Amino acid sequence: MPSEDPQPTNPGENGIDGRSRLGRRAASVLVAVGLAASTVTAALWTVALGRFFVPPASAAQKRRVRIGRPADFATDSVDTRFAAALGVWIVCEAVGSGRRFTALRTKCTHLGCITTWRPTERMFKCPCHGSGFRIDGVNVEGPAPRPLERCAIALTPEGELEVDLARTFRAELGQWNDPAGFVLWKSAQ
């Protein structure tokens, strides 16, 4: 007599596809564990990237920085002392009988490379893709889509220039005319 496959005594024990309830439950648990692991991994990557893009507390504390008295800066010049530490160029231009001070961000507006000041050309140049900016920050060559950003700058009651690194002004948004984006100073002050 040919042997037949034994039939389960309880028809609800196996599903239609032949898997047991225990097997389906194990598969569900594995899927849930996989989703939890993926969520935790995504959260850790988000935290890691957030720490990369958010400056440390010490940098945030240096939001407003005093850089010296206006008389300490040469007329029609770019002071490069603060480029590495603060990410700004201090520009002092002759305006009438006085001077105008601006703090320009060192980042190129194309892809964020750090510009260099070339005194012989009287231009800021981007070493990455060749963008060029006049001494006032206006883009004149290369792929940069807009002028350099200005940081807020003010004259303190003690007579010092103070740069607010957290507050910026963009020319294409009409913000360069904001009085907080430059300081006008007359040497008789």
Side-chain angles (χ1 to χ4, degrees), residues 119-140:
T120 56
E121 298 175 50
R122 297 202 42 86
M123 288 184 72
F124 300 102
K125 295 291 280 186
C126 178
C128 300
H129 301 103
S131 293
F133 305 86
R134 294 188 319 222
I135 191 170
D136 62 359
V138 174
N139 53 321
V140 292

Side-chain angles (χ1 to χ4, degrees), residues 43-64:
L44 290 174
W45 273 107
T46 302
V47 169
L49 286 173
R51 291 200 47 125
F52 177 75
F53 287 112
V54 175
S58 60
Q61 291 170 352
K62 290 187 174 187
R63 185 182 111 149
R64 288 186 175 191

Side-chain angles (χ1 to χ4, degrees), residues 88-158:
V88 292
W89 306 108
I90 304 302
V91 178
C92 176
E93 297 176 278
V95 177
S97 62
R99 300 182 195 175
R100 180 177 67 189
F101 292 90
T102 54
L104 296 174
R105 287 250 184 230
T106 58
K107 284 185 178 182
C108 178
T109 56
H110 177 229
L111 293 177
C113 297
I114 303 302
T115 58
T116 58
W117 169 244
R118 295 198 181 163
T120 56
E121 298 175 50
R122 297 202 42 86
M123 288 184 72
F124 300 102
K125 295 291 280 186
C126 178
C128 300
H129 301 103
S131 293
F133 305 86
R134 294 188 319 222
I135 191 170
D136 62 359
V138 174
N139 53 321
V140 292
E141 60 187 26
R146 57 190 175 87
L148 295 173
E149 292 182 3
R150 287 184 182 173
C151 289
I153 188 168
L155 194 60
T156 67
E158 296 81 24

Side-chain angles (χ1 to χ4, degrees), residues 7-29:
Q7 295 294 322
T9 56
N10 183 356
E13 191 174 300
N14 290 330
I16 296 174
D17 60 0
R19 289 192 215 164
S20 69
R21 284 187 183 160
L22 183 59
R24 285 193 305 261
R25 187 172 295 146
S28 296
V29 168

